[in-house]
Amino acid sequence: MTNIQDQFNATKSGDFVLAPGEYEGPLVIDRPCVFDGAGATLWANAGPVLQVASEKVQVKNLRIEVTGTEAAGEADVALKTTYAGTKLENVEVKGVVVGLPQESEAWQLPGMLSLGNFAAETENTFSIELQAAASAQLECAMRDIRLSPQALAVGKNVITLTTAELRNNTILYGEIIVKTAVNRRIYIMGKAQAGAPVHSEGTPVSDGPAVSLPVQMEAPREMIAPNVSDANVQQVKRGQRLSIKDLQDDVLKIAFEYQTDDANLEIDGYCFLLQENNRVRQDEDLIFFGNQESRDGAVRMGQNGERPLVLVEPAKAAPDVNRIAVCYSIYGDNQMQRFSAVRGAVVRIFSSDKEVYRFALDELHEEKTAVAVELYRYKGEWKMSFVGAGYRSGLRHLCEGYGVNIE
């Protein structure tokens, strides 16, 4: 794990820009500068994770996270400053903020809101109680969720959440951002299911009476990428092949993370179950948001927030499935949207909630579609190939190459 304090100290003076990734803290900023995290995460088991010990400091584009459970003293402090003039821009925290006059230290927000199962093919409305330590704005980029109101007042707030008319077996997973001087994230989890009850606990108005929905703090883990920072993660390179014999009976979670300044850019996940001839058996062997689970149960498609998440159980793969290709494609026909608009793209692979491999997709530029990882059988055991190959022609060409008929 990179020593972030040594990196910062080595620059002696001037502004500092991080490379995307994760860095173990703590970190002390003890000189005037602009500290640009470039979308990186700074974490520590106990706080303060980041301390600002100088005037004229601006921190931007950074996630600061306390990962441990100890809450005594300053152990739960994500960000501490002794200078009231410290400036923050696009900074997300998990933990307490100390020393900013415009920021309360008393926030107690849930990390997860579980909606459970709700009726498919119809709108559902939930009322959620949130306690706000200060005035805040709410932001939700999920296309299947509407929130009202868009702001929090100090004290108890009742938020109305309305889902779109989701198809049966659609996994709803995303987040609400609570915005003050910093951003705080609340994950939302639920599933649209035929036969489940229609929820109508509130109406989409800014105020008025509503019935509170009990908040379940524990959500099903199978469709959530673990939020961990592991110094022992193996960093792999393009073209590398590894045996996963010891993992082939596990559920492997393959998460794709990236940053972009294009709010309209979306990247979806696609998995192809392939025979020995590197072609699908039938069109149903393409697993994506419209066909979320393979018939043998070996591959399932979900989301980690707005990012694609793939679950693979190699041991369940049908005997005539020889290869599983995990791919990502920029959604839509906008030819201006390519991987050159993406930074910090990384594939993270978990087994039993432990991150085992991390693969940076940092060689993609003009491509719209990429084959990231392949799992394949070789002499009776499963292996993994880190491909990282991109295609400028987009998803259609890839599908046709694998034998999937595109209308």
Side-chain angles (χ1 to χ4, degrees):
M1 179 68 65
T2 303
N3 188 314
I4 181 60
Q5 188 70 62
D6 288 348
Q7 277 194 52
F8 179 75
N9 292 343
T11 60
K12 303 295 184 183
S13 63
D15 296 341
F16 185 88
V17 181
L18 272 177
E22 291 193 2
Y23 299 85
E24 183 175 4
L27 170 65
V28 178
I29 300 177
D30 56 2
R31 67 169 191 261
C33 68
V34 175
F35 186 98
D36 188 348
T41 296
L42 177 67
W43 65 274
N45 288 324
V49 182
L50 175 63
Q51 294 189 66
V52 178
S54 173
E55 60 181 353
K56 297 182 180 179
V57 170
Q58 180 183 11
V59 180
K60 62 181 184 179
N61 304 322
L62 183 67
R63 175 179 170 85
I64 310 167
E65 180 179 346
V66 179
T67 59
T69 57
E70 179 62 47
E74 292 189 329
D76 201 34
V77 174
L79 171 63
K80 179 180 180 181
T81 179
T82 52
Y83 292 87
T86 300
K87 296 181 180 180
L88 304 179
E89 178 185 337
N90 191 29
V91 173
E92 181 179 333
V93 300
K94 181 182 178 184
V96 175
V97 176
V98 175
L100 287 178
Q102 71 272 36
E103 186 63 39
S104 172
E105 299 178 19
W107 282 94
Q108 296 291 330
L109 294 172
M112 170 69 72
L113 297 174
S114 178
L115 306 181
N117 293 335
F118 51 86
E121 308 295 345
T122 188
E123 288 190 349
N124 292 261
T125 304
F126 301 86
S127 290
I128 308 294
E129 284 190 11
L130 293 177
Q131 289 288 335
S135 298
Q137 296 296 312
L138 296 181
E139 184 177 286
C140 181
M142 298 173 65
R143 55 190 172 192
D144 297 322
I145 288 291
R146 301 192 304 275
L147 287 179
S148 179
Q150 297 293 315
L152 298 179
V154 178
K156 177 183 173 181
N157 295 260
V158 178
I159 307 302
T160 301
L161 183 153
T162 303
T163 71
E165 298 178 2
L166 299 177
R167 291 171 296 185
N168 185 37
N169 289 324
T170 297
I171 298 292
L172 180 67
Y173 186 71
E175 65 270 340
I176 299 171
I177 305 298
V178 181
K179 301 176 73 70
T180 56
V182 296
N183 298 334
R184 294 174 174 86
R185 191 178 301 264
I186 303 174
Y187 289 99
I188 301 172
M189 179 74 179
K191 184 177 182 180
Q193 195 165 47
V198 177
H199 289 265
S200 55
E201 284 83 22
T203 54
V205 294
S206 58
D207 53 39
V211 179
S212 178
L213 174 74
V215 174
Q216 302 176 27
M217 297 302 293
E218 296 296 330
R221 294 295 304 168
E222 64 170 2
M223 297 303 287
I224 303 175
N227 187 14
V228 300
S229 299
D230 191 334
N232 298 316
V233 174
Q234 182 174 347
Q235 306 282 344
V236 294
K237 298 180 179 180
R238 184 178 184 179
Q240 193 168 346
R241 297 171 182 262
L242 297 170
S243 172
I244 56 169
K245 181 179 180 181
D246 294 339
L247 307 177
Q248 63 189 27
D249 293 326
D250 298 343
V251 179
L252 302 179
K253 299 180 183 181
I254 304 176
F256 183 51
E257 300 178 1
Y258 63 92
Q259 295 88 43
T260 180
D261 295 325
D262 186 346
N264 297 315
L265 187 145
E266 296 181 28
I267 298 179
D268 293 318
Y270 299 84
C271 289
F272 298 85
L273 281 69
L274 306 171
Q275 304 173 87
E276 193 169 355
N277 63 0
N278 217 37
R279 295 176 70 84
V280 298
R281 299 164 299 179
Q282 61 268 326
D283 289 349
E284 289 73 21
D285 284 341
L286 168 57
I287 309 303
F288 68 116
F289 55 84
N291 177 37
Q292 295 184 329
E293 183 171 352
S294 63
R295 291 181 179 179
D296 56 17
V299 178
R300 287 172 286 164
M301 183 67 65
Q303 284 187 301
N304 182 40
E306 289 292 296
R307 307 297 191 243
L309 176 68
V310 179
L311 276 66
V312 180
E313 296 181 68
K316 287 186 176 181
D320 53 350
V321 172
N322 189 63
R323 186 177 299 264
I324 299 169
V326 180
C327 310
Y328 302 104
S329 185
I330 294 175
Y331 179 79
D333 297 325
N334 186 344
Q335 294 302 310
M336 301 300 293
Q337 291 182 328
R338 297 184 179 274
F339 272 95
S340 56
V342 173
R343 63 183 186 276
V346 62
V347 179
R348 303 176 67 188
I349 299 172
F350 301 84
S351 175
S352 301
D353 284 357
K354 177 183 178 182
E355 188 176 2
V356 288
Y357 305 121
R358 190 176 299 173
F359 175 40
L361 285 177
D362 53 5
E363 298 185 24
L364 301 177
H365 302 286
E366 297 305 311
E367 299 86 352
K368 289 184 67 69
T369 298
V371 180
V373 177
E374 291 184 343
L375 295 84
Y376 65 98
R377 297 184 202 258
Y378 181 74
K379 294 184 178 180
E381 71 178 64
W382 282 91
K383 294 180 178 288
M384 187 173 289
S385 173
F386 297 89
V387 182
Y391 298 87
R392 298 182 64 177
S393 52
L395 183 64
R396 175 181 290 273
H397 180 77
L398 186 67
C399 289
E400 291 174 348
Y402 284 139
V404 176
N405 295 316
I406 302 295
E407 296 181 357

